[in-house]
Amino acid sequence: MILVDWQLRDRIARGHIKIDPFDPTLVQPNSVDIRLGSHFVWYNPGEQVIDPFDKATVTSDTGETHADSFILMPGQ
């Protein structure tokens, strides 16, 4: 489903879509721009679901770094 800007704002206001922190100026005609911080966690997808709040699910295929820039490779 593609939502237009007023639908995105409505769903965010109702709590159906959660963005924290939310900046209304980042809503575009059919998207919301997202700004990333300096803490990155990535994984190579497989059968297992990774819960970022449960360190027991973090595998050797998972990485974490703090950096000013980071390049995600295809499939990560």
Side-chain angles (χ1 to χ4, degrees), residues 5-68:
D5 55 354
W6 69 267
Q7 292 170 315
L8 288 165
R9 286 187 186 93
D10 177 66
R11 301 308 195 283
I12 293 167
R14 292 179 184 207
H16 297 283
I17 299 174
K18 295 182 191 279
I19 300 174
D20 184 27
F22 173 63
D23 180 352
T25 64
L26 298 179
V27 176
Q28 301 302 316
N30 291 101
S31 64
V32 179
D33 291 341
I34 304 291
R35 295 185 179 168
L36 299 176
S38 60
H39 178 224
F40 300 94
V41 177
W42 71 94
Y43 69 97
N44 294 319
E47 297 295 321
Q48 182 180 6
V49 174
I50 295 178
D51 180 354
F53 299 104
D54 180 6
K55 293 294 184 185
T57 63
V58 177
T59 66
S60 61
D61 289 342
T62 303
E64 182 173 358
T65 188
H66 292 269
D68 290 333

